[in-house]
Amino acid sequence: MVRTIIVLFLLSAAGLMSCSDAELARSIDGKWETSLNFTDEYGDPFVKKLIYEFDYKANGEKTGGKMTESNENIIEDNSEGIVIKCNVKSSIEGEYTVLLGDLEIMYYLPTLEVTIEDVECHLSDDADFYTSLGAEILGDEIISEMIEDELEGMKKEVYDSLYEQYEADNRGAEEEGYCYPDLEVEGDTMSFVTSDMGRMYFSREY
């Protein structure tokens, strides 16, 4: 009799938890955004925009669906007296699941894309005489080609770094059950706990 009561209790708790997970998975359907403040290797501050888009209806799963993660970083680089400022964007698709109140994400690595937009460039204030003279002699077309090479190198570096990171996240999810614990939604605010930045908060975008 006691064992029967315990089994019924556990089954009831599991059913309630499954219902709660489904409600959470449904409640994050939509677009969420946050801004993170960082400092680069030279001590200069920069802002990273992180965006999640969850589609609960995409695959009909009770506790999850499809998702897209996007990043935007305004980067400024001073290379040999030429300042390059640009917006580095990345996006990757995947799927999400809510399990026991935690957010689990698996990334589709072949969907990773990196683009560089809104490129601006000019001579730095501390550019030496030879850099200034070279820019004047070579002209805008040659300078643009040099910058293109610089941007392609930056794009490849960002892509390789992100691919390695997402690959590690997938491996952690498969082997160790890595996830973002304690998913919460209150009104237009979503939050979960991360291993390196504590609890992160996102605002719903309409």
Side-chain angles (χ1 to χ4, degrees):
M1 180 66 177
V2 173
R3 178 174 296 177
T4 301
I5 292 174
I6 292 174
V7 170
L8 289 173
F9 174 79
L10 291 175
L11 288 173
S12 175
L16 289 172
M17 186 63 73
S18 176
C19 178
S20 177
D21 286 345
E23 290 174 359
L24 265 179
R26 189 183 299 109
S27 70
I28 65 174
D29 181 78
K31 185 176 180 179
W32 304 84
E33 182 179 309
T34 191
S35 294
L36 307 171
N37 296 310
F38 292 98
T39 303
D40 65 19
E41 57 186 310
Y42 304 105
D44 296 322
F46 70 94
V47 177
K48 172 182 177 180
K49 185 184 294 184
L50 176 59
I51 302 167
Y52 283 108
E53 294 182 68
F54 298 102
D55 186 358
Y56 177 74
K57 304 172 188 142
N59 61 5
E61 297 242 353
K62 189 176 181 182
T63 59
K66 303 294 184 182
M67 56 77 62
T68 301
E69 178 183 311
S70 305
N71 291 275
E72 294 185 22
N73 301 280
I74 301 296
I75 293 178
E76 187 168 314
D77 180 55
N78 188 340
S79 178
E80 299 180 356
I82 299 177
V83 176
I84 302 174
K85 185 177 181 180
C86 57
N87 188 0
V88 180
K89 297 183 178 182
S90 70
S91 67
I92 188 169
E93 298 174 7
E95 61 184 41
Y96 78 97
T97 305
V98 178
L99 182 62
L100 302 179
D102 299 337
L103 176 62
E104 297 183 354
I105 292 176
M106 288 292 293
Y107 298 99
Y108 302 153
L109 297 178
T111 66
L112 175 61
E113 293 185 353
V114 176
T115 60
I116 297 180
E117 303 175 8
D118 306 322
V119 180
E120 300 176 10
C121 61
H122 60 268
L123 286 175
S124 64
D125 295 335
D126 59 353
D128 60 31
F129 170 78
Y130 295 103
T131 300
S132 302
L133 181 61
E136 186 176 341
I137 293 174
L138 293 174
D140 293 340
E141 186 174 346
I142 301 298
I143 296 298
S144 295
E145 290 179 8
M146 293 170 59
I147 291 171
E148 281 296 321
D149 292 340
E150 185 80 18
L151 293 176
E152 280 302 313
M154 182 188 300
K155 181 178 176 180
K156 184 179 185 307
E157 185 178 341
V158 171
Y159 181 94
D160 291 344
S161 177
L162 286 174
Y163 192 97
E164 185 178 339
Q165 173 191 319
Y166 290 133
E167 190 174 41
D169 287 347
N170 279 356
R171 190 164 54 248
E174 292 175 341
E175 298 176 1
E176 304 169 18
Y178 177 78
C179 62
Y180 297 112
D182 196 18
L183 174 65
E184 293 183 357
V185 178
E186 295 183 7
D188 288 336
T189 301
M190 174 185 73
S191 67
F192 49 72
V193 176
T194 66
S195 60
D196 54 350
M197 300 189 68
R199 180 169 287 278
M200 290 180 59
Y201 294 87
F202 296 76
S203 298
R204 187 187 291 275
E205 297 294 311
Y206 292 98

